[in-house]
Amino acid sequence: MALMEKPLQNEQGQGADCPKETVIRARDLDLVFQTNDGPVHALKDVTLDIDRGDFVSFIGPSGCGKTTFLRVIAALEEPTGGEIMVNDLTPDEARRLRAYGYVFQAAGLYPWRTIAGNVKLPLEIIGFTREEQEERVKKVLELVDLEGFERKYPWQLSGGMQQRASIARALAFDAEILLMDEPFGALDEIVRDHLNEQLLKLWERTNKTICFVTHSIPEAVYLSTHIVVMSPRPGRIHEVIQNPLPRERPLEIRDTPEFLEVAHRVREGLKAGHGYDG
Amino acid sequence: MTGDWMREKVLPVLTVVAAIFALWYGAAIWMNSSWTLAQAERAGKTLTFTEIVKDTMSQSRPKLPAPHQIAAEIWKSTVQKKITSKRSLIFHGWITLRATLAGFALGTAIGILMAIAIVYSRTMELSLMPWAVISQTIPIVALAPMIVVVLPKIGIEGRLIPKAIISAYLCYFPVLVGMVKGLRAPHREQLDLMKTYNASGLQSFLKLRLPSSVPYLFTSLKIGIAAALVGAIVGELPTGAVRGLGARILIGDQFGNPMQIWAALTCAAILAGLLIMIVGLLQRITLKRMGMAE
């Protein structure tokens, strides 16, 4: 990953000379929303490369454009300036090829579908055969530790389990990019820790590229290979921090000096980017 | 369990029923006694209170029939008559029910189709919605005779279709309003999710909007079926209908037969209750099968 914001900062993580495949490439991305209160500059000059297999966290106060950026990647929002490519395609072309699995803050499971039925939803839409649907549902429910809950309805599950089901739904059709918008934001810390741990294992096993929006510094540091610190008004990238922690991360790693050091850098970054004003 | 059910469901209902009956009997004594007293005065008799009460309960053309008199009249005109008889309330009830169901089906279909058009097209919303609202401000009693008179002129024979149209006219509106709300129930994230799957418009409709609207639909259907019954009865009032509960009410009124009016009224009320109960039951079964109710 490389940050090429102007003025150019000291390269973070450009030293790696092994060839990396860039999955998402944003150049000078601008997005201005026209609202009743006048134009809102949601994104300004966002330039960012995300490589295959990266786990990138976006952190910053509300209004810094982290969710908007995610939505631009998913072609749910159209940038008003600059350029963004996903696998050398436009986001909308990539969307048509079902390149993304999107996980929202609210699990958003359909109350009229069982857990298996919910996971099956994208598969039905894409048009997998019935056998393949069954097979994939079984596989991804195992991946998120929900085997045995196939026939339960969402209201019969806890919030954390519902969110796991929604992750399974996003994984079901093998999208190579997972876009997660504060997926654990509404959960309590104990459940969140557990899900963070599981998400890391899942990433390890599936080797997906994950873009993860969060409000939580420990969550960002614990999960990511890169932490993108953003600042508000206009929403822009303040700093990209490459996470030096090893890929193998037990929960206890959060008490190590190395972890605290990274967390400190993120906090400093937020402060410098006026992240605490908002 | 049964004790709770008795306490929570049956007892309140029975209390209200008992209160209504008490008021009713009181009113019957009060309203019918003037006739009793006038008769007695003409005959030069004085009546005791018990005699007055007894007489007010058994007049053949009372101002307000007592509940047991209405019950007796209903018994006489249902169980003791052949269903094919022109005096059978079951016969008349069926005539009304047929028009109600036809109108309900028509009105529901129109309501749902209009709701789909409105939800998917801004133009439709701007052009249809005001007319839908205005349509409900026109008193149906003014419109009904016109429909009854005009339809035969364009070659539609019989009373069923005009009545069904009047009935549909009343019942489509609640369905329309409920379905617009229901089809718009999915929030932005759910629609965005469909977009990330690259789902077609039809897929989003069938897999998201339609199922989301089901609870709203049933709530509307309950109001709709009651409105449809009112429509069918109103459709029977104008221009010399002789069959149906509405016609019975009108004829009873014209011939000064309060018992017949009240019996037909009561039957209409019972019919409405049954219809709403059936829709409610369908609602519970459907939502349960969809997993949206415990």
Side-chain angles (χ1 to χ4, degrees), chain B residues 265-276:
Chain B
L265 267 180
T266 310
C267 278
I270 292 170
L271 192 57
L274 284 176
L275 288 173
I276 291 171

Side-chain angles (χ1 to χ4, degrees), chain B residues 2 19 24 29 36 39 44 93 98 105 130 132 139 153 168 185 212 230 272 276 290:
Chain B
T2 21
W24 196 331
I29 293 166
T36 308
Q39 287 295 102
R98 228 173 37 165
K153 300 237 160 77
S212 301
V230 171
I276 291 171
M290 285 177 78

Side-chain angles (χ1 to χ4, degrees), chain A residues 212-233:
Chain A
F212 189 96
V213 167
T214 179
H215 267 126
S216 153
I217 297 172
E219 189 170 68
V221 177
Y222 177 68
L223 290 172
S224 351
T225 56
H226 300 80
I227 301 154
V228 178
V229 180
M230 298 184 75
S231 57
R233 286 178 288 277

